[in-house]
Amino acid sequence: MSKHEFVLKDFLFFVLFKIIKFLFRIMPKSMAKVFLDGLSVLVRKFDGMHKHVPKANLDFVFGDRLSDDEKENIIQNSYKNLAYNLYEFVVNSSITPQELDKKVTINCEHHILSAIKENKSIIFISAHYGNWELLSKYFSRYKPISVVGRPLNNQYLNDELKQSRELDNCEILDRSGATRGLMKALKSGNNVGLVVDQHTAATKGGIDVMLFGKNALQTDVPARLALKFNAVLLPAFVVLKEFGKYEINIYPPIDINETSTIESLTQAQADAIEKQISNLPDLWMWQHKRFKENYPEIYKKV
């Protein structure tokens, strides 16, 4: 599809997006929350593609350590978090840094400032957890940042997203061939952000890690880049505190020394992700078949 090719369905959906964006902006937050809570229930009910995946993941990870009621609550809160992310995506498309400061607080910012003082680039490591989209918006205040993401299928929405990110001093790299763009950013002394919690096939750079005591595959790209460019590996996660209010938690930098390997650094990233999810599992995207490579049987419908 050429950039200027007119697609009626995409255009109509874009118009609908603009209407929803306007309504969300004038709608009281309390009303928006009620609407989104209801939407999350409906989405879960009719999510035929992922409906059984969250429970399969929770059973596999926690077993009998959590009751069925606790797992049910986590699943519904996970869908609710995704609905809230949709709302934030709409209302934050043109948010100013001053407005963002009213919405987001940050813990342990000194880890970022220390890396900047040492003139080192940062590779921010995160997961599909909380409102991960807010990270690039917030971190772009320190240095230009490049992040990896799949282009939206809707050309009009994708153009708007790219324009918004460019205003945020943020570059979006297509997953296809993203490594070259990440290397260019780090060579320029800029920062990059990577969401690394999803399954990555071995043919695409996935290597074995342990996650919740289970074998899983995870991308080795951040570890390779950190070793090549002497960059700081910094785990960061956005936690929902209340509707419309978020907190960024920065973990200590992953230690890189003469004994560090691609494998050890990738495992350390998995450990950080596991720690955050264990602290508050409700905010992770449990709808992903994270363990499908080694344990495909857990996702079979019964």
Side-chain angles (χ1 to χ4, degrees):
M1 179 190 298
S2 68
K3 182 176 180 180
H4 301 290
E5 182 179 345
F6 180 77
V7 179
L8 180 60
K9 182 179 70 173
D10 286 356
F11 179 73
L12 292 176
F13 191 87
F14 178 66
V15 172
L16 177 62
F17 167 79
K18 286 290 194 180
I19 294 172
I20 293 174
K21 181 177 180 179
F22 172 74
L23 291 176
F24 274 160
R25 284 190 172 278
I26 65 173
M27 186 184 296
K29 285 178 60 177
S30 58
M31 184 182 297
K33 183 180 184 303
V34 171
F35 171 78
L36 293 165
D37 288 349
L39 178 64
S40 69
V41 173
L42 288 175
V43 170
R44 181 187 175 190
K45 182 176 180 179
F46 295 104
D47 185 12
M49 184 179 297
H50 307 101
K51 189 172 185 179
H52 302 284
V53 176
K55 182 63 161 55
N57 280 327
L58 285 163
D59 286 343
F60 188 61
V61 168
F62 292 111
D64 295 333
R65 286 178 290 156
L66 293 179
S67 68
D68 285 341
D69 286 344
E70 288 174 315
K71 292 172 185 174
E72 170 69 22
N73 190 55
I74 290 171
I75 293 170
Q76 189 53 55
N77 284 337
S78 179
Y79 275 96
K80 189 182 295 184
N81 181 67
L82 293 175
Y84 291 175
N85 284 1
L86 172 64
Y87 170 81
E88 295 292 347
F89 170 76
V90 172
V91 300
N92 292 339
S93 59
S94 57
I95 193 171
T96 66
Q98 293 74 25
E99 291 170 331
L100 189 61
D101 284 338
K102 295 178 181 178
K103 177 171 292 193
V104 180
T105 57
I106 185 168
N107 292 325
C108 298
E109 184 187 28
H110 64 274
H111 292 309
I112 299 175
L113 300 179
S114 177
I116 293 174
K117 186 176 181 180
E118 295 175 15
N119 200 30
K120 288 187 174 183
S121 292
I122 301 172
I123 302 174
F124 291 104
I125 301 299
S126 195
H128 291 86
Y129 184 92
N131 193 332
W132 63 91
E133 285 284 347
L134 279 176
L135 287 175
S136 58
K137 279 188 172 292
Y138 195 93
F139 290 156
S140 64
R141 66 182 54 197
Y142 301 104
K143 282 184 180 181
I145 186 169
S146 297
V147 300
V148 179
R150 185 179 70 83
L152 300 178
N153 292 329
N154 186 304
Q155 61 177 339
Y156 305 102
L157 285 177
N158 192 60
D159 287 346
E160 174 147 317
L161 176 61
K162 288 183 66 175
Q163 291 173 8
S164 173
R165 288 286 177 82
E166 288 169 0
L167 290 174
D168 293 333
N169 210 20
C170 176
E171 175 190 28
I172 304 180
L173 302 171
D174 193 339
R175 288 180 184 176
S176 175
T179 302
R180 181 177 297 178
L182 294 171
M183 292 177 65
K184 182 180 178 181
L186 293 171
K187 282 181 181 178
S188 300
N190 295 336
N191 297 330
V192 302
L194 295 168
V195 178
V196 300
D197 60 319
Q198 292 197 337
H199 168 78
T200 302
T203 55
K204 297 183 178 180
I207 63 175
D208 290 316
V209 295
M210 294 298 291
L211 185 68
F212 295 104
K214 315 294 184 182
N215 293 314
L217 287 175
Q218 185 168 304
T219 179
D220 66 355
V221 169
R224 291 184 181 278
L225 291 175
L227 290 174
K228 182 177 180 62
F229 292 97
N230 191 30
V232 176
L233 280 171
L234 202 58
F237 304 92
V238 181
V239 177
L240 174 70
K241 303 304 292 183
E242 59 180 272
F243 183 66
K245 297 289 185 180
Y246 294 87
E247 181 178 83
I248 297 177
N249 290 331
I250 307 294
Y251 282 23
I254 293 173
D255 183 43
I256 302 177
N257 54 52
E258 63 276 3
T259 66
S260 296
T261 63
I262 300 295
E263 292 75 17
S264 67
L265 294 179
T266 304
Q267 182 60 58
Q269 296 167 55
D271 292 342
I273 291 169
E274 179 180 327
K275 179 180 179 181
Q276 182 61 52
I277 295 170
S278 297
N279 288 340
L280 185 58
D282 303 57
L283 299 181
W284 195 37
M285 193 171 72
W286 290 95
Q287 294 79 0
H288 173 64
K289 294 181 180 179
R290 183 64 182 93
F291 304 97
K292 64 183 179 181
E293 181 81 11
N294 296 299
Y295 312 94
E297 68 278 2
I298 72 173
Y299 300 112
K300 292 181 179 179
K301 296 180 182 179
V302 295

